[in-house]
């Protein structure tokens, strides 16, 4: 049997006597059943969906291992556990459901992994003010189902809905498939409750906007576990839509589809779902449409009169750019398949490296970034496919989601590094931002200095103020020296 305890990235660990002491004291806080050094638990929480993990796993290795897993059940326990770790200077890595795509939960320096899944309730639905207060560890699909039973939607549907938590969404600035109407997760936040490494619990006020200085609770958005732990959030909710209109079109050229979207966003419409695929992805996802034209999938929802008015404006913009009406059927097909994530594992078993990279652009560089990234990826030896679609749009631009597949034989890791280097260089040269919603984790840290410029020093100062001992999720967000393997 393969021994999966070999760690590729871990250079240091915490002294065992300190861990033993911590385990005893943690058990007094959360109970013996919520503390574990069991191998199965260490393995279950040491990795996420970063494709590099799979390559190592097949070789019988993991990126790094925690030395202890704890499961707090409320904010007060998180506070006491963090204060204890801080006093002993033991690293803590927060863990939601491990669906991150960039190694964010890899416990590079060992220590404690804090699995937040047992803090998992909707605390309160505020019907009058259209808000919900929800715990960080609640599973995404269960969150949406419970809201639906009360007559609402949370409006947030990442493809990983069934395998991610609310806290993970907030920590990574996630985006759902219906983001054009409901916003990214950060647009839904009214306030957050969080715990700092020294155990301080703080929260923002759940009022519509404030002008009382910077919102300290919002600083936790996108912090990926490096500043503290988000324990709950007050989020916006919406009554279930009265009407839903499904529409699809095809365009001769990708840029015609982009122009149609730019125009209907400029006109003030906000369809929930807007997905524009290049010809290759059109052929893959909707074979009945062929692979010569570019498909646009739209869902417009809300109150019936508003939906009708938006549909009319959108139709004008789309047909004005040469869009051909392809009916509702393709959207129904997409709705059925939208959470299906099996293809990556199937291709991996056949020896492929498959990954996706999402970046965000303005309208002026939306198409050129697509062309530049595709060309750069196809130039990497071993690449079989580099395709793209736009799936989150704004008045000021659109997010581009690129998928690449290659068969590099035995050189999977070298190929993977080359792919990312090529894609990031192309995106940066075109003026795109390097991530729209997957976040940074471990892997994207390499390009953070280029992305932020002098802002990176500001980020490091914030980190030092929140976490002076550097215990929170060390090695992530590009805040520390970048891992050797990436160079
Ligand atoms: C197949 C697939 C599809 C995906 N589709 C989408 C998509 O459509 N949209 C999208 O935005 N993302 C998507 N992702 C990425 C991923 O699902 C998101 O990043 C998600 O938000 C992570 O949630 P999680 O609970 O699994 O977090 P984890 O992976 O467990 O953690 C992610 C990071 O957040 C930190 N963290 C987790 N919880 C907390 C907390 N409460 N407080 C502080 N830090 C915390 C962790 O330390 C880590 O750094 C996809 C991933 C996969 C594998």
């Amino acid at each position: 049997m393969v021994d999966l305890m070999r760690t590729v990235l871990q250079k240091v660990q915490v002294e065992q006597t300190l861990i033993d002491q911590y385990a005893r004291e943690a058990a007094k806080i959360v109970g013996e059943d919520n503390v574990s050094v069991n191998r199965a638990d260490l393995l279950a929480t040491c990795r996420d969906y970063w494709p590099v993990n799979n390559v190592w796993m097949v070789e019988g290795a993991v990126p790094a291992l925690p030395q202890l897993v704890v499961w707090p059940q409320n904010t007060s326990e998180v506070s006491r556990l963090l204060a204890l770790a801080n006093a002993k200077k033991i690293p803590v890595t927060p863990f939601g459901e491990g669906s991150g795509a960039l190694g964010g939960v890899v416990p590079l320096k060992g220590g404690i992994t804090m699995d937040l899944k047992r803090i998992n309730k909707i605390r309160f639905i505020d019907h009058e003010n259209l808000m919900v207060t929800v715990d960080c560890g609640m599973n995404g699909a269960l969150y949406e189902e419970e809201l639906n039973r009360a007559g609402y939607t949370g409006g947030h549907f990442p493809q990983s809905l069934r395998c991610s938590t609310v806290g993970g969404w907030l920590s990574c600035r996630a985006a759902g498939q219906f983001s054009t109407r409901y916003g990214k997760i950060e647009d839904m936040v009214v306030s957050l409750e969080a715990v700092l490494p020294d155990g301080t619990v703080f929260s923002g006020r759940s009022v519509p906007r404030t002008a009382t200085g910077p919102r300290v609770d919002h600083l936790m958005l996108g912090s990926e576990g490096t500043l503290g732990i988000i324990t709950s959030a007050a989020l916006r909710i919406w009554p279930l839509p009265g009407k839903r209109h499904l529409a699809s079109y095809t365009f001769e050229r990708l840029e015609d589809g982009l122009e149609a979207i730019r125009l209907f966003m400029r006109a003030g419409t906000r369809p929930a779902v807007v997905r524009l695929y290049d010809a290759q992805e059109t052929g893959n996802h909707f074979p009945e449409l062929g692979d010569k034209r570019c498909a646009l999938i739209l869902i417009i929802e809300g109150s019936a009169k508003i939906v009708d008015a938006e549909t009319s404006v959108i139709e004008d913009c789309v047909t004005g750019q040469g869009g051909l009406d392809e009916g509702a059927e393709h959207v129904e097909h997409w709705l059925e398949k939208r959470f299906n994530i099996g293809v990556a594992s199937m291709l991996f078993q056949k020896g492929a490296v498959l990954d996706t990279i999402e970046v965000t652009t303005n309208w002026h560089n939306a198409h050129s970034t697509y062309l530049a990234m595709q060309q750069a990826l196809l130039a990497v030896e071993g690449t079989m496919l580099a395709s793209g679609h736009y799936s989150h749009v704004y008045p000021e631009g659109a997010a581009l989601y690129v998928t690449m597949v290659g068969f590099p034989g035995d050189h999977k890791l070298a190929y993977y590094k080359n792919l990312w280097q090529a894609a990031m260089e192309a995106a940066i040269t075109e003026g795109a931002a390097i991530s729209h919603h997957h976040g940074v984790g471990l892997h994207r840290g390499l390009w953070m200095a280029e992305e932020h410029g002098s802002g990176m020093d500001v980020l490091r100062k914030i980190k030092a103020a929140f976490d002076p001992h550097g215990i929170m999720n060390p090695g992530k967000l590009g805040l520390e020296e970048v891992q050797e393997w990436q160079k």
Side-chain angles (χ1 to χ4, degrees):
M1 201 171 95
V2 178
D3 179 6
L4 282 173
M5 300 304 258
R6 183 167 74 80
T7 54
V8 185
L9 296 179
Q10 198 155 8
K11 302 279 178 282
V12 288
Q13 271 205 327
V14 178
E15 208 184 304
Q16 194 54 46
T17 48
L18 258 187
I19 294 288
D20 295 342
Q21 268 174 24
Y22 185 91
R24 281 194 296 277
E25 290 172 50
K28 289 185 202 148
I29 299 170
V30 293
E32 302 249 329
D33 289 348
N34 292 310
V35 179
S36 176
V37 290
N38 185 306
R39 276 178 161 225
D41 292 324
L42 304 185
L43 281 168
T45 54
C46 77
R47 60 199 283 276
D48 56 12
Y49 277 68
W50 185 31
V52 170
N53 290 327
N54 296 336
V55 178
W56 287 326
M57 192 66 122
V58 169
E59 290 168 0
V62 291
L65 279 172
Q67 292 162 273
L68 186 79
V69 184
V70 286
W71 289 271
Q73 292 171 76
N74 54 48
T75 305
S76 157
E77 289 182 2
V78 172
S79 163
R80 292 164 69 197
L81 288 170
L82 279 187
L84 190 59
N86 198 44
K88 297 184 190 301
K89 300 195 173 98
I90 302 177
V92 177
T93 307
F95 189 90
E97 292 210 23
S99 72
L102 292 138
V105 298
V106 172
L108 279 178
K109 297 187 179 171
I112 301 149
T113 283
M114 195 176 287
D115 186 339
L116 297 155
K117 277 194 288 296
R118 293 185 186 168
I119 313 179
N120 59 12
K121 302 273 180 307
I122 284 189
R123 293 188 191 175
F124 175 58
I125 295 180
D126 181 341
H127 298 273
E128 186 174 11
N129 297 308
L130 271 183
M131 292 188 290
V132 61
T133 304
V134 55
D135 287 339
C136 62
M138 188 161 196
N139 170 273
L142 298 179
Y143 168 66
E144 179 64 19
E145 278 167 22
E146 195 165 329
L147 286 178
N148 289 172
R149 282 196 290 277
Y152 300 105
T153 176
H156 188 70
F157 305 91
Q159 197 193 18
S160 54
L161 183 74
R162 294 169 180 156
C163 59
S164 59
T165 62
V166 174
W169 299 344
L170 294 160
S171 304
C172 297
R173 289 185 176 273
Q177 294 155 342
F178 285 51
S179 67
T180 302
R181 173 170 163 78
Y182 299 104
K184 282 184 84 196
I185 194 73
E186 66 254 34
D187 304 311
M188 300 171 185
V189 172
V190 184
S191 69
L192 295 177
E193 176 193 85
V195 185
L196 293 184
D198 68 0
T200 305
V201 180
F202 69 105
S203 55
R205 300 201 49 208
S206 299
V207 291
R209 314 293 175 180
T210 54
T212 51
R215 285 288 299 240
V216 284
D217 55 336
H218 288 203
L219 273 179
M220 301 300 290
L221 286 168
S223 61
E224 300 191 20
T226 62
L227 299 181
I229 289 188
I230 298 169
T231 42
S232 84
L235 301 177
R236 288 181 176 167
I237 53 175
W238 289 262
L240 285 168
K243 181 168 181 179
R244 180 177 266 190
H245 176 74
L246 313 182
S248 72
Y249 297 86
T250 55
F251 295 87
E252 196 177 333
R253 302 181 317 157
L254 193 59
E255 42 288 39
D256 299 333
L258 279 172
E259 182 60 4
I261 298 171
R262 188 182 75 83
L263 291 175
F264 68 63
M265 291 303 287
R266 190 181 176 95
T269 64
R270 295 292 178 269
V273 175
V274 181
R275 300 177 74 85
L276 176 66
Y277 300 85
D278 70 3
Q280 198 159 12
E281 291 198 6
T282 301
N284 290 345
H285 294 294
F286 312 100
E288 60 286 3
L289 291 175
D291 61 0
K292 300 283 177 288
R293 294 175 65 85
C294 301
L296 172 64
I297 298 296
L298 295 170
I299 298 181
I300 304 151
E301 65 177 34
S303 311
K305 284 182 185 166
I306 297 177
V307 170
D308 292 343
E310 286 198 316
T311 301
S312 162
V313 174
I314 289 170
E315 271 171 8
D316 287 350
C317 296
V318 168
T319 50
Q321 295 305 312
L324 293 183
D325 190 345
E326 306 281 1
E329 189 191 321
H330 309 292
V331 193
E332 279 156 13
H333 166 82
W334 174 79
L335 277 168
E336 268 170 40
K337 303 273 179 201
R338 68 192 172 124
F339 297 122
N340 186 343
I341 57 175
V343 68
S345 340
M346 191 263 289
L347 281 169
F348 181 74
Q349 281 165 23
K350 292 186 185 305
V353 168
L354 179 149
D355 205 4
T356 58
I357 299 184
E358 25 63 63
V359 299
T360 175
T361 69
N362 295 108
W363 290 116
H364 72 263
N365 57 352
H367 188 240
S368 63
T369 304
Y370 161 79
L371 292 177
M373 287 181 73
Q374 185 182 48
Q375 198 179 15
L377 288 165
L378 289 172
V380 178
E381 199 182 336
T383 303
M384 300 279 289
L385 175 146
S387 60
H389 65 261
Y390 303 85
S391 44
H392 309 276
V393 306
Y394 308 89
E396 63 276 16
L400 167 65
Y401 191 93
V402 177
T403 298
M404 59 269 186
V405 182
F407 287 86
D410 291 338
H411 308 289
K412 288 195 171 68
L413 290 184
Y415 173 69
Y416 183 84
K417 287 181 200 178
N418 293 341
L419 274 183
W420 268 82
Q421 187 60 37
M424 289 288 95
E425 264 173 28
I428 290 166
T429 306
E430 288 299 318
I434 61 171
S435 175
H436 176 261
H437 57 265
H438 283 170
V440 178
L442 170 64
H443 183 55
R444 252 199 190 110
L446 193 57
W447 299 278
M448 279 288 274
E450 236 169 313
E451 173 72 18
H452 283 281
S454 55
M456 203 60 206
D457 292 333
V458 180
L459 205 53
R460 288 204 179 91
K461 284 178 186 153
I462 294 172
K463 164 78 176 171
F466 273 56
D467 181 21
H469 297 316
I471 65 161
M472 293 306 307
N473 206 0
K476 309 300 163 51
L477 276 189
L479 289 165
E480 293 177 25
E481 202 194 331
V482 169
Q483 276 291 305
E484 191 184 301
W485 92 277
Q486 293 170 305
K487 290 181 182 157

